[in-house]
Structures are given as structure tokens and as C-alpha cells.
Amino acid sequence: MTAAEAASATAHPLDVVRAGRWTRALFGTYALSLGFFEAAPLRALRRVGANDIRILADVSGVAASLGEAGAREVGRTYAVDAIGAPGGCFHPKFVLLDGEDGPRLVIGSGNLTFGGWGRNLELCEILSPRTSPRAFGDMADFLEALATSPRLDFPNAGIAASWAGALRRSGDMGGGSDVRLLHSVDRPIADQLVEMADAAGGATGLLVASPYFGSAGAVRRLADGLGLERFAVHVSTALALAGQHYDFAHDPRADRVVVEGLNEEPRQRPMHAKLIEIICRDRVLTVSGSVNASGPALSRAVNVELAVVRAGPERTPVRAFVGSLPPLPVVETEGSGSDDAILLANLVGRNLSGIVMGADAQGTWSARLDATGEFRELGDLEVGPDRRFSVEIRGGDEIGFGSRRAILALSRDGRRVAGFVTFPDLLELNRRWGSSAGSMIRVVGGSAEDEDLAGVLEYFARHPDETAAPWSNGSAVRPTHRVVDDRSVSLAELDVRPRAEGTPPHLAGWGASAIDRLIAAVRRSLVSGGTGGGGSAAGDAEDAGAGGRPAAPPPERTEKVFEVIREAFASRIDDDPQTELHRLADLGLCVLARRPDAARVSEFASWWTTLASPRLRCDPERAELRSLATALVLIDAMAARSPIRARRRIAAMVGPVEDALDACMDAMTPVVSGLVAEATAGREALEAFVAEVQGERSVLEELPVLLAAIRAGEAPPPLPCLDREPEMDRIRRRIADGFAARIPIAGPWHTSCPKCSIGLPEADIQRLRAIGLVAAQNCCSSVVVLDRNL
């Protein structure tokens, strides 16, 4: 691909991010806009499943991003690591993706900013191991050089080293390739290009396009190294940000040209692309990436640069420039180095530790921490001769539960050094839980935001086993009356580790690991949370509705999660009805509690009870499930104005109706109580309906009495419900005649006469399951009695 074709191509780094199934990503950049990163690349990565995300940036880029209001998740769901290059800057721009479709590599000229990924005219190369295997070996070399170079200030160098090892393990990095990568960690880019040109038969021409030159010296030195008397330099009419024209006035060796693919005028996009093309006797070397045609970037190993060199037969089309150069202000280049000092900090439990990336750091500093929107004083902090510090935070647990970035600032003698605080525990949770991790942490911390609740429920719907401890299959007896649990899980307690090998999730129990403890805390927060619409009680003024109350949040996403839960659980219920129906009831009620509405609650209760009635038979020890099932049956039956329906379903699913009703009314959780009141016009109406249910009788309650009489060969007592059925006269006669043992007994699964094994009509099967009695008209005409416990 020529430079013109590359510049005109529709491929974009964001397209690559969206197109694959990635699990982790590493970005490199000089300038950094975390507001842009969270708005576009981070969101795209989450959608494809990536949950291990880091950014390597120059110290000046990190310093500039500290003031961005749009940066909310840095340190919690992704990490930023700073790299210092004394006398120069860390200048590469790359995206490294890995996962099921990886690895993939994007190397270009655009910084991780709105301009670099949108407004500017940039060049980028998109590489895969299949087509460019040597480039991935070169990338591994570059990352290892970053990790080991003594001239760089890279406190978290292990990150680059781990990625280098993974790249080498991903496949064969040998073989021939027309694409190579060059870096300037230990050698100037220009020296390496001269060697490649000599290997390609020697240079016969040179073309340079750059938004910054500094002076004409770097291009002249490259031309001298290539043995060229003349060369061509692209004339830009709209250079991006720090751009400067080439010093044509003092260099008569340079011809003014316009590279067709880098002509800004048709699209009015400022040029920030970098292109060096060396025409050799055997082939053409096209160089793109981060390398400006300046001394620190090209001819000296001062900046850290990364370039792609593509060897091919085609030259880039150019035309002679006609006219005068437009005047442009002289501004400082992005590649001239920076004296910005920042710090890197980690908060694990209550221990805040880190390193100051700057000179003269040793000594006592005044420390302030901003994790909630305003700084609070931490007192004095000592920085050692190794530039490192460590301090215990008092009452700092809530820091990890916030919904915004945390910044630590140190000051003394009029000097200020600041940096983002990273939460390693939360990053580990994010690697395990993905985009739901932040929501889970905030819900435990008391968040009432619908977005947070939706994120938690989406995760539970996708990973039901993670919620198995509270809804386990074990036989631990739960108390009938609710026990208020006011414990909290602090970040200091989190010891992230895998669950013990061989232990099924549903047997892990409470507190089996820190992850399980946190899940338990999430569930407690959900089930015990108050009713009412979501949203912060302290909403901004512009979010407030009439009377100063926060405006109700839009329901669309909560509605979507409600549907996700229903669909996710419906197909699993038959495998373990008690566990799956319990999960479904709890999570569904949590969704409803965020925006109570009588019609929605009744709709869910009707759907759940219809799904549960033929499947659910509650064990006596599952007190919480029994109470939930009874409450949902009451809501459904009240909407249908049918106390007999409630009686029948409670008897079928829960057991003794009077006990179930008493337990439900006494132990109803705040969430369920609020929803019942919403759907049933209040507690008094519910109690009146319960009295009606208590006044009814159902065949399901009388069947055990009839079965006991049949097995004892004794006349059954009066059974008001069953005695209304025509089959009862024959049953009583058979018992009175001494033939009770000949009455066929069927289980719930029977579809044929137990005596003759001849199938029953579908209508008779339904009658047997609903009433408990049916005459086998197709065979012996005996009355079949249902025993639901068989």
C-alpha cells in the first residue's frame, strides 16, 4: 500500500478494536486524553470482552490528563503507566490487542486523543502475525528494550516484559516478511534506515513528510548518510498543533512537493502524519509511525520512537508545490521533551504506596487525596532516596467504592507533584468480572444508581454460578425471620485468589474466598436495598425535576436487563428448579424494586408463578425461597382476584398453606414488602386477601388425607373439595368394599394408567395433575389417584 492509499484508507484503529474478540489491550501514546479514551476505545473494548487494559504514556501526557473531568475509571477498570525519557520523550503510538482473534498490532502517528483518532490526518499500519510475523518479533524486542533500558524511567517495567513474553509465545516470529519495526530505545532511527537502504541496493531518492522538523539538520544528516545530493520534502498547508514547516530558505537541497495522500486541502484535516520514503535500487522502503523528521526523533536516540518499515515496489505519487508557504506560529514541538514530574500510586487496603517520577523527590511532602471530588489532607508523607513512599490511610475504604478517578497530590516549597491512584484489587476484579466490576464495588458501597444495578444483574445473568453460595443446594436451615446483616466488605479484606481447586461454586459457601465474600456482600446489598427509583439523592441541579427532587432515570436499560434475566434463566430451570427459580425471583424483584409499578410487578409475578407451578417443590429448609414463592403467588392471585388459585399454588409449591402464609407475612423483606404493597394496594388489602385464602380449601391439601386413608384401608373423613368430584363416590365405595389396595396410585410423571399401562388422553392427564383424580376410560375404568410425592 502506498502512502496515498494508506492515508485514504477507511481502516481506523477503532475499527480494529471493534472487530475482534479481545481479552486484553496495551496502548502506547505521547499525548493522552483519558476523556476520549473512556468515551471511545474503552467502551469498544468492553463490548468485545476485553477486561485487562493498560496505557503506557509519556509523563507529560499523564500530567496533562490529571485535570480531565471525563476520566472516571482510571485506576479502577484500566491502568495508566508513565514512562520518562530524560532529555526527550516517550513518543510511540500503538495499540496491541490479544485474545481469541489475536494478537493484532496497530502502529501509527496518532496520539490517544480526540485529534489523534479523529480530527487529524494520520497514518497507521494494521498488522497481524499471519502477514507480518517478523514485525511481532520486533515488537517483542521493543517491549523488552523498554523494560530493560537504563536510560528510561519506567517504574512498572514488568508490564512491558510480560507482553513481550506473551508475543513470543503466540507463534513463530521467524520467516521472511516485508514489514519490520524499528525503535530508538538504544539506536537512532536514521542509522538503522541507512543500513536497510544499503541492504536494498543503496538509496537513489528520499521523500520526507513530517508535522515538525525543528530545523533542517535531521533530514540533511539522513540524506548524507544515504549518499544523496537532493531530496524531496512535503509541504503542508495545515499542520496539526505543534507543526512547523521545513526550513526551505536555508536548505537549497530540498525540493518542495505535495504528497497526494497527505494533501489536507480536500478534507480540511490538519496533517499529523509522519512519512519517510527511501527509494532504493532493489525496492522502496516506506517508513511510518511516530518518527518526526527532527533531531531527537530521527538522528539521535533521545526520544523513544516506533516506526513501521514496509518494503515494496511502489513509489508514493507526488507533485511539485507551487506557491508560497502559509505563515504558521512557532510553538513547542511534542518531541522536545518535558520537565513534568508526576507520581504513580497504588492503594491496597489502606496502604497507599508509590514512586515520584521527578528529580529532587526525597524528603517530606504534604499529601492530599482527591477521591470524591474534593481534596482531603493526609498529613506529611516521607519520600525516600529511592523516590518511593508508603503511608496508611485512615478511614479510606470508601475511596475504592467511588465512581470517579482518585488523585494523590504532594506539595512542598511551592512545588506540586500529582498522579492517579491505581487500585490493584479492583483491576484484578475487573480482569475477572469485566465491565461489571465497577458496578459491583459501587453497589456494595451503597450506590443506588440504575446503571450500577443493571451492570450487576447483567453479570449475574451471564454467570449464574457466581451467585450460587447464597442460593446453594446445601441443606443449611435458614431462619424464618429475617436476620439483619450490617457487615460490610472493605477493600482491605480482599485477597484476590482462585477458588480452591475442585470446589464447585455452589459448595464454596460464605467467605470461601475474598471474591465469594464480595459477591455475598453484593447480594446482601441488592436484597436489602430500599425501593424507589434509582439515581443519586444528591443529583446536580440540572438533573433535578420539579420541587428540587432528582429526575427519574430513564428506564430503558433496566427494562433491558429485566428481559435478559428472564431469557437467561428460563432455559436452565429444569436442571435445578429450586436454585434457578430462587435466583430468578430474587434478581427479578431487584430490577422491579428500582422502579416499582403495579402492572410490571403483577406481570412478573404471573410469569414467574406460571413457570414455577409445575416445577417447584420447596424443601422445608429453604425458608427464603418458600417466602418468596408465597409472596409472588399472592401478588399474581390478587391481580386475578382468585384466592383459590393462591391456595392451590401455595399448597403445590410450598407445602402447608397456613404455615407458608404466616412465615411469608412475618419474614417479608423490605424489597418484597414494598413491591407487594405497590401491586396489591397496600398491606391492609394484602391481609384481607390472605384471610380469603385461609378461608378456601384445595384438592391438593386434601389429597394427602385421601391417600393416607386408602393406604390404611379406612374411610376418609369429609373432604369438601374432593367430594365435589364425581370420582370420589367410586373411591369411597371401593374402600368400603375392602378393595382399597386395588386403587391405582400415579406419580406426577405418569401419562398412562398405572394398572394397565395404557396411555391416558391429554385432557385426562391434565385433570389428574390439576385435581388429583381421573377415571381411566380407555382401559380398566379404575379411578387413578395422584400422589405428588412419588
Side-chain angles (χ1 to χ4, degrees):
M1 176 183 293
T2 66
E5 291 169 333
S8 303
T10 57
H12 187 279
L14 203 54
D15 296 330
V16 183
V17 173
R18 292 168 175 160
R21 288 161 290 187
W22 318 118
T23 57
R24 61 179 190 153
L26 182 68
F27 292 79
T29 187
Y30 166 76
L32 176 62
S33 169
L34 293 181
F36 162 73
F37 177 73
E38 293 189 12
L42 180 62
R43 184 174 298 181
L45 285 167
R46 283 178 166 174
R47 287 174 179 164
V48 299
N51 51 24
D52 183 356
I53 303 164
R54 303 190 81 95
I55 300 171
L56 306 181
D58 184 72
V59 289
S60 62
V62 177
S65 66
L66 287 170
E68 287 193 86
R72 297 172 58 89
E73 301 183 47
V74 56
R76 289 185 167 87
T77 62
Y78 68 94
V80 174
D81 294 302
I83 301 180
C89 66
F90 178 78
H91 199 246
K93 302 94 163 62
F94 65 85
V95 183
L96 184 54
L97 302 165
D98 198 13
E100 186 176 341
D101 294 332
R104 288 293 184 276
L105 180 58
V106 180
I107 297 177
S109 58
N111 288 299
L112 196 56
T113 62
F114 288 96
W117 282 47
R119 183 174 61 92
N120 297 341
L121 180 60
E122 309 277 5
L123 281 173
C124 75
E125 289 270 5
I126 300 170
L127 308 175
S128 72
R130 183 179 62 83
T131 58
S132 308
R134 295 288 296 278
F136 283 79
D138 294 337
M139 187 66 186
D141 292 340
F142 170 63
L143 293 173
E144 287 179 351
L146 290 181
T148 58
S149 174
R151 78 178 183 93
L152 301 181
D153 188 2
F154 189 6
N156 292 333
I159 300 301
S162 67
W163 269 91
L167 280 179
R168 296 199 189 281
R169 292 191 299 271
S170 67
D172 180 16
M173 297 303 175
S177 174
D178 291 332
V179 179
R180 299 297 302 271
L181 303 187
L182 303 181
H183 67 79
S184 61
V185 174
D186 44 30
R187 291 187 64 202
I189 296 290
D191 293 353
Q192 300 174 66
L193 291 177
V194 169
E195 292 176 0
M196 295 184 74
D198 290 343
T204 60
L206 173 65
L207 169 66
V208 177
S210 175
Y212 183 79
F213 295 90
S215 69
V219 178
R220 285 202 302 264
R221 281 191 290 271
L222 176 60
D224 290 341
L226 295 171
L228 299 174
E229 290 296 327
R230 298 199 65 81
F231 48 86
V233 178
H234 170 71
V235 175
S236 174
T237 57
L239 295 171
L241 189 59
Q244 287 185 339
H245 288 302
Y246 187 73
D247 189 2
F248 291 102
H250 294 87
D251 189 359
R253 299 167 61 187
D255 297 323
R256 305 180 188 190
V257 300
V258 174
V259 178
E260 293 296 343
L262 300 182
N263 185 12
E264 309 98 319
E265 292 178 355
R267 287 164 284 186
Q268 296 301 311
R269 296 173 62 190
M271 193 202 80
H272 191 251
K274 301 98 164 73
L275 172 70
I276 299 174
E277 186 171 270
I278 304 173
I279 299 93
C280 302
R281 290 181 177 84
D282 297 337
R283 51 191 167 173
V284 178
L285 303 180
T286 302
V287 186
S288 62
S290 69
V291 187
N292 282 307
S294 65
L298 180 61
S299 57
R300 303 194 303 275
V302 178
N303 292 352
V304 175
E305 306 284 356
L306 185 61
V308 180
V309 182
R310 184 178 292 273
E314 297 183 59
R315 298 180 58 175
T316 297
V318 298
R319 58 180 170 83
F321 174 77
V322 179
S324 59
L325 295 177
L328 291 176
V330 177
V331 294
E332 184 181 359
T333 173
E334 65 178 46
S336 63
S338 172
D339 295 327
D340 289 287
I342 65 165
L343 61 83
L344 304 179
N346 292 323
L347 181 63
V348 179
R350 296 187 180 185
N351 180 257
L352 183 63
S353 60
I355 185 171
V356 176
M357 297 181 65
D360 302 322
Q362 183 178 359
T364 303
W365 296 75
S366 177
R368 304 168 69 209
L369 182 66
D370 171 16
T372 60
E374 59 182 21
F375 278 97
R376 63 172 178 169
E377 301 293 336
L378 298 182
D380 288 342
L381 178 151
E382 290 294 326
V383 177
D386 59 355
R387 304 182 298 164
R388 296 189 176 275
F389 59 85
S390 179
V391 65
E392 292 293 314
I393 302 296
R394 295 185 300 275
D397 290 338
E398 72 275 8
I399 296 171
F401 295 126
S403 60
R404 55 180 286 126
R405 85 287 182 273
I407 292 178
L408 175 66
L410 307 182
S411 59
R412 70 175 182 191
D413 302 330
R415 184 184 178 195
R416 182 179 184 272
V417 178
F420 294 114
V421 177
T422 298
F423 300 83
D425 288 328
L426 300 192
L427 292 177
E428 177 61 32
L429 294 177
N430 190 70
R431 279 190 283 272
R432 176 166 176 169
W433 285 344
S435 60
S436 299
S439 296
M440 288 195 172
I441 295 296
R442 290 190 290 272
V443 166
V444 174
S447 171
E449 297 281 350
D450 270 6
E451 284 286 307
D452 292 334
L453 180 80
V456 171
L457 297 183
E458 283 178 336
Y459 178 84
F460 282 167
R462 294 194 307 270
H463 304 89
D465 287 343
E466 293 289 359
T467 63
W471 294 284
S472 68
N473 293 325
S475 59
V477 177
R478 293 189 180 274
T480 301
H481 295 279
R482 176 169 179 78
V483 177
V484 178
D485 189 345
D486 59 358
R487 294 175 297 167
S488 64
V489 177
S490 71
L491 291 179
E493 292 181 275
L494 291 180
D495 179 17
V496 179
R497 61 184 184 273
R499 185 180 286 113
E501 186 174 356
T503 303
H506 68 275
L507 298 180
W510 295 76
S513 71
I515 297 292
D516 295 321
R517 289 202 305 274
L518 189 55
I519 290 175
V522 170
R523 181 180 177 278
R524 287 198 300 270
S525 299
L526 290 175
V527 176
S528 62
T531 60
S536 171
D540 296 332
E542 61 266 29
D543 296 327
R549 298 180 59 190
E556 289 78 6
R557 186 174 182 195
T558 308
E559 293 279 12
K560 172 179 175 289
V561 175
F562 180 66
E563 295 301 325
V564 167
I565 292 171
R566 295 193 351 175
E567 294 173 5
F569 282 82
S571 61
R572 296 198 301 261
I573 290 175
D574 288 333
D575 294 335
D576 185 357
Q578 292 194 90
T579 299
E580 300 296 345
L581 285 165
H582 193 174
R583 290 171 175 160
L584 179 57
D586 251 358
L587 296 180
L589 290 176
C590 287
V591 174
L592 294 167
R594 312 315 297 176
R595 193 167 58 85
D597 175 83
R600 295 175 72 235
V601 175
S602 295
E603 177 192 357
F604 178 77
S606 175
W607 179 82
W608 188 91
T609 53
T610 300
L611 197 64
S613 58
R615 299 173 174 86
L616 181 61
R617 304 292 178 266
C618 292
D619 292 337
E621 66 269 18
R622 290 186 179 251
E624 188 176 350
L625 173 59
R626 290 159 60 86
S627 179
L628 274 176
T630 303
L632 287 169
V633 168
L634 289 173
I635 293 173
D636 170 60
M638 281 193 73
R641 300 181 181 180
S642 177
I644 187 59
R645 177 195 288 186
R647 187 96 193 184
R648 285 199 304 264
R649 286 186 165 174
I650 293 171
M653 293 190 287
V654 182
V657 177
E658 305 300 333
D659 293 344
L661 290 171
D662 290 343
C664 175
M665 298 298 286
D666 291 343
M668 198 174 289
T669 67
V671 167
V672 176
S673 179
L675 291 174
V676 169
E678 178 73 28
T680 61
R683 181 84 178 193
E684 292 184 2
L686 175 62
E687 291 176 349
F689 184 73
V690 168
E692 293 183 47
V693 175
Q694 290 171 328
E696 294 284 352
R697 290 294 179 270
S698 70
V699 294
L700 295 181
E701 296 170 89
E702 294 177 350
L703 273 174
V705 179
L706 175 59
L707 288 167
I710 291 172
R711 286 166 178 148
E714 298 174 354
L719 301 171
C721 294
L722 285 175
D723 284 340
R724 290 198 293 263
E725 305 301 328
E727 293 89 349
M728 276 302 295
D729 288 340
R730 295 172 59 187
I731 291 288
R732 289 185 179 279
R733 287 199 301 271
R734 296 288 284 175
I735 295 173
D737 293 342
F739 297 113
R742 298 184 181 180
I743 298 175
I745 308 298
W749 66 89
H750 274 101
T751 58
S752 60
C753 172
K755 184 175 180 181
C756 307
S757 297
I758 295 178
L760 298 171
E762 183 62 31
D764 288 350
I765 294 172
Q766 296 303 321
R767 176 174 174 79
L768 177 65
R769 292 173 179 171
I771 306 300
L773 305 173
V774 74
Q777 301 291 346
N778 289 351
C779 49
C780 61
S781 297
S782 297
V783 176
V784 181
V785 181
L786 176 67
D787 185 349
R788 298 176 65 87
N789 294 320
L790 286 181

